RNA sequence: UCCUCCUUAGCUCAGUUGGUUAGAGCACAUGACUGUUAAUCAUGGGGUCUCAGGUUCAAGUCCUGAAGGGGGAGCCA
């Protein structure tokens, strides 16, 4: 019966028999094995007896997997509370140290580790990142479940391309070299698997709205796909998104939900992954030391998370945001590259100024001009703005995008016509407005951006196990 | 997609004005070592200087192009 290393390190007593299995992180002095099984950041020290079979000892190398039977005892040395006095060591899998790229004393770069993503889980950094990622995913389900939300599985293959959230990946079984064609020469998708053109989903929102019109509160949490040629540290072609949708909620309820949600899951991670987050805090601090003074962030990672937990998000309207920017020293000194005036979409530099310089905390911006937002967002009484909301986070930018949805059929149809959204393809969506429509609101949160924020990592490719980006789909 | 920077040993990096046989730390191998903590000590092996052209008596170093990567921007989550 195997015991997890985390369990042994958490127990207060000693002098009991255990079996542990894991991977060797280091082997010192022909005597001390640092063993890790991924259950926690810390290794356990295994002490081997004099006279252990030399054939076995020679195979205890960095990266090798072993099984150890022995006794947990109070450590005879400094540096750890307990250790395992080994009675029997079995080599499960040898590791050719000459070829194994991970060594404790090497400092491989994150970029290099990305090329060996199948092995990077065995490093402290990625062990911590993906344990935190797991905890966040669990906390998300727990948050919604505790509040009576139904987890709705929206389709991954979709015929809907009406939302316009981005370029889509086509799904087809038609032959590439000689697809069936119509008389006008266009490809005849009626002969395709689904008898129509289909794509990978860019968002589950429209389908989530259908569920909210019956269950009152639903959420989706699944993969989404965007075929944009985006090469940045904040974009992936395949990423996971959380999209709650709540009937009877207005934009203020929506903000309250989003804020409570973010605070809850961060708090859950801080509570359950403290060791990992403290390691990541130190890692980030070490990385920051490489930067010039003026580029360093004012807060450490743990400090930042505590700050978010203890401070309300700032809430402003788009119009107020524009005023702040127009009156900012940065604007007066012509520091902004892009023009600032009412009606523009806020650029990265504007969002960064508001979040990182002006408010120095997460900011919720609402009531955007209708022309820069999607057709389904609810028109405000001024007829110029819509009840949209974006949550902007320091270092990440937009982490949440949401809105109160337009529940009035005539207004929705009018907006769809203005924005050239094909109403006939979305008749199922419009049915919700025909049959017992209610005010409702929801938002989308990019899971990897949340993981970035919580782990203090800076590249989104380092917080998803196997990143898919333009030109890259390894593993 | 655009701008910009980078590519030298398994990894992280030096490499001066274009000039002899391209270096260091770590890793790895061999040996020593039973209380180590990124263990330590000794010895040793390890290079198509990303690739393809070009300039030159001479190119890791200069020029052109390609590929890969980083940072920033756009699109967004």
């Amino acid at each position: 019966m195997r015991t997890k290393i985390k369990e042994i390190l958490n127990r207060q007593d000693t002098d009991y028999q255990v079996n542990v299995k894991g991977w060797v992180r280091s082997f010192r002095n022909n005597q001390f094995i640092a063993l890790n099984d991924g259950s926690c950041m810390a290794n356990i020290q295994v002490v081997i007896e004099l006279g252990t079979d030399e054939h076995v000892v020679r195979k205890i190398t960095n990266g090798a997997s072993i099984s150890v039977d022995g006794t947990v005892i109070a450590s005879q040395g400094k540096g750890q509370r307990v250790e395992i006095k080994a009675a029997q060591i079995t080599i499960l899998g040898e590791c050719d140290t000459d070829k194994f790229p991970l060594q404790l004393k090497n400092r491989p770069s994150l970029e290099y580790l990305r090329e060996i993503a199948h092995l990077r889980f065995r490093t402290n950094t990625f062990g911590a990142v993906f344990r935190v990622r797991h905890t966040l995913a669990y906390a998300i389900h727990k948050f919604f479940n505790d509040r009576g939300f139904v987890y709705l599985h929206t389709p991954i293959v979709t015929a809907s391309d009406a939302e316009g959230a981005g370029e889509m990946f086509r799904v087809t079984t038609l032959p590439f070299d000689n697809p069936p064609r119509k008389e006008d020469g266009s490809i005849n998708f009626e002969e395709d698997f689904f008898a129509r053109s289909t794509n990978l989903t860019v968002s589950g929102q429209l389908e989530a709205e259908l569920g909210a019109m019956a269950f009152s509160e639903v959420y989706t949490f699944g993969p989404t796909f965007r075929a944009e040629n985006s090469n940045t540290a904040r974009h992936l072609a395949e990423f996971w998104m959380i999209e709650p949708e709540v009937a009877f909620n207005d934009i203020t309820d929506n903000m309250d939900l989003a804020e409570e949600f973010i605070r809850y899951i961060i708090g859950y991670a801080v509570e359950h992954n403290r060791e990992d987050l403290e390691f990541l805090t130190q890692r980030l601090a070490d990385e920051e030391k490489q930067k010039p003074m003026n580029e360093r962030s004012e807060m450490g990672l743990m400090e930042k998370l505590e700050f978010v937990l203890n401070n309300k998000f700032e809430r402003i309207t788009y119009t107020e945001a524009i005023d702040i920017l127009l009156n900012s020293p940065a604007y007066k000194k012509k520091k902004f590259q892009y023009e600032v005036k009412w009606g523009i979409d806020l650029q990265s530099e504007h969002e960064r100024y508001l979040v990182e310089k002006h408010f120095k905390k997460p900011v919720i911006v609402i009531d955007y001009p209708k022309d820069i937002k999607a057709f389904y967002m609810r028109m405000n009484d001024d007829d110029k703005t819509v009840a949209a909301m974006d949550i902007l986070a320091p270092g990440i930018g937009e982490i949440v995008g949401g809105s109160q949805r337009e529940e009035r059929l005539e207004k929705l149809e009018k907006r769809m016509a203005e924005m050239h959204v094909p109403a006939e393809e979305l008749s199922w969506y419009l049915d919700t407005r025909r049959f017992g429509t209610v005010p409702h609101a929801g938002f989308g949160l990019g899971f990897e951006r949340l993981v970035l924020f919580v782990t203090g990592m800076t590249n989104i490719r380092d917080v998803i196990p196997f990143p898919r980006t333009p030109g890259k789909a390894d593993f």
Side-chain angles (χ1 to χ4, degrees):
Chain A
M1 178 72 181
R2 179 172 73 94
T3 304
K4 289 210 165 203
I5 289 168
K6 182 180 186 178
E7 188 185 326
I8 296 170
L9 294 175
N10 283 342
R11 270 176 75 162
Q12 293 305 309
D13 60 330
T14 55
D15 302 305
Y16 56 94
Q17 303 289 314
V18 287
N19 170 263
V20 293
K21 295 183 174 73
W23 293 266
V24 175
R25 284 288 176 86
S26 77
F27 185 33
R28 291 185 289 268
N29 208 19
N30 252 1
Q31 190 184 6
F32 303 102
I33 302 166
L35 193 69
N36 189 286
D37 67 359
S39 61
C40 58
M41 167 74 56
N43 306 318
I44 194 153
Q45 174 156 285
V46 174
V47 187
I48 70 171
E49 296 279 341
L50 254 181
T52 302
D53 182 356
E54 193 180 329
H55 292 97
V56 172
V57 174
R58 293 180 80 85
K59 289 175 183 170
I60 302 172
T61 59
N62 292 342
S65 50
I66 63 173
S67 173
V68 179
D69 293 294
T71 312
V72 176
I73 57 171
S75 179
Q76 309 294 295
K78 291 171 185 167
Q80 57 281 313
R81 193 177 58 84
V82 295
E83 62 193 17
I84 297 175
K85 188 177 170 189
Q88 172 81 35
I89 292 181
T90 311
I91 306 294
L92 299 175
E94 296 176 33
C95 183
D96 184 345
T97 50
D98 192 33
K99 299 203 174 73
F100 187 56
L102 299 176
Q103 307 297 342
L104 191 63
K105 294 214 292 187
N106 264 350
R107 284 296 153 103
S109 60
L110 295 175
E111 292 79 27
Y112 172 69
L113 291 170
R114 216 173 283 153
E115 293 171 21
I116 50 167
H118 54 306
L119 298 172
R120 65 179 177 169
F121 301 121
R122 293 199 209 175
T123 63
N124 285 338
T125 297
F126 286 98
V129 165
F130 290 113
R131 274 187 299 271
V132 170
R133 183 182 165 110
H134 158 79
T135 300
L136 291 170
Y138 177 77
I140 286 162
H141 287 299
K142 181 166 165 50
F143 175 86
F144 287 123
N145 183 65
D146 289 352
R147 283 157 185 78
F149 282 62
V150 168
Y151 178 24
L152 192 74
H153 294 91
T154 52
I156 289 171
V157 175
T158 173
S160 159
D161 60 353
E163 201 206 339
E167 291 294 312
M168 305 182 95
F169 290 99
R170 185 178 294 284
V171 175
T172 182
T173 56
L174 294 178
F176 293 113
D177 45 358
N178 187 23
R181 292 185 186 275
K182 294 186 195 168
E183 282 179 12
D184 65 3
S186 64
I187 293 173
N188 184 7
F189 286 104
E190 285 173 22
E191 291 190 34
D192 204 348
F193 186 89
F194 294 107
R196 61 190 300 174
S197 164
T198 50
N199 302 289
L200 293 177
T201 184
V202 293
S203 163
Q205 182 204 311
L206 298 187
E207 290 92 346
E209 283 189 54
L210 312 183
M213 291 300 106
F215 298 107
S216 301
E217 350 350 72
V218 300
Y219 72 105
T220 74
F221 183 8
T224 48
F225 307 87
R226 308 249 170 117
E228 302 283 350
N229 190 11
S230 295
N231 294 288
T232 81
R234 300 180 302 283
H235 290 86
L236 291 163
E238 176 184 292
F239 65 100
W240 288 63
M241 190 150 63
I242 300 112
E243 294 174 291
E245 195 69 37
V246 182
F248 317 113
N249 265 11
D250 65 14
I251 187 73
T252 305
D253 300 324
N254 206 29
M255 285 191 276
D256 291 344
L257 177 67
E259 189 169 343
E260 184 192 1
F261 170 70
I262 290 173
R263 197 167 284 131
Y264 176 87
I265 54 183
I266 290 176
Y268 196 89
V270 167
E271 186 182 340
H272 291 86
N273 286 71
R274 186 159 281 280
E275 188 187 30
D276 290 319
L277 289 172
E278 278 169 358
F279 175 85
L280 291 167
T281 298
Q282 187 58 47
R283 191 203 74 83
L284 186 62
D286 292 344
E287 196 174 79
E288 292 263 314
K289 281 181 200 158
Q290 314 289 322
K291 293 187 190 168
M293 275 300 220
N294 58 346
E295 286 177 25
R296 293 183 199 175
S297 46
E298 293 173 26
M299 276 187 231
L301 175 61
M302 193 61 92
E303 202 183 347
K304 181 184 81 178
L305 297 178
E306 299 281 358
F307 183 85
V308 169
L309 291 177
N310 296 323
N311 288 277
K312 296 289 279 180
F313 295 2
E314 197 66 36
R315 298 184 181 190
I316 58 170
T317 64
Y318 169 88
T319 304
E320 288 164 348
I322 293 291
D323 284 344
I324 290 168
L325 291 170
L326 287 174
N327 289 311
S328 66
Y331 179 79
K332 286 168 183 160
K333 289 179 192 160
K334 301 197 191 308
K335 289 274 180 65
F336 292 132
Q337 189 187 336
Y338 290 86
E339 188 186 15
V340 180
K341 70 170 189 192
W342 201 94
I344 59 149
D345 208 353
L346 296 178
Q347 301 293 320
S348 285
E349 58 176 357
H350 305 141
E351 295 180 351
R352 292 184 93 106
Y353 179 84
L354 289 171
V355 171
E356 290 164 20
K357 292 275 192 305
H358 190 81
F359 289 113
K360 301 189 179 188
K361 59 165 137 170
V363 177
I364 310 181
V365 183
I366 60 166
D367 295 340
Y368 282 81
K370 63 178 181 182
D371 292 335
I372 58 173
K373 289 291 180 183
F375 72 91
Y376 49 73
M377 297 187 177
R378 192 178 194 277
M379 187 70 67
N380 288 325
D381 291 342
D382 61 10
D383 231 26
K384 291 192 308 195
T385 61
V386 291
M389 76 171 197
D390 283 357
I391 300 184
L392 311 176
I396 314 289
E398 187 178 340
I399 194 166
V400 164
S403 67
Q404 183 173 346
R405 318 305 188 188
E406 182 57 79
E407 84 280 12
R408 299 162 295 188
L409 181 62
E410 317 77 58
K411 298 214 181 225
L412 183 56
E413 284 178 328
K414 181 162 169 266
R415 281 305 281 159
M416 288 171 77
E418 282 170 11
M419 299 175 84
H420 308 293
V421 179
E424 60 280 9
E425 280 184 31
L426 289 176
S427 61
W428 48 270
Y429 181 70
L430 292 171
D431 269 356
T432 57
R433 275 65 169 172
R434 294 188 182 109
F435 307 129
T437 190
V438 295
H440 62 290
F443 59 85
L445 180 144
F447 184 49
E448 282 75 19
R449 289 196 181 168
L450 179 77
V451 181
L452 272 183
F453 184 76
V454 175
T455 59
M457 301 296 283
T458 48
N459 194 310
I460 202 161
R461 296 167 191 133
D462 295 330
V463 298
I464 188 166
F466 303 105
R468 271 81 180 96
T469 52
K472 279 272 174 293
D474 296 333
F475 311 106

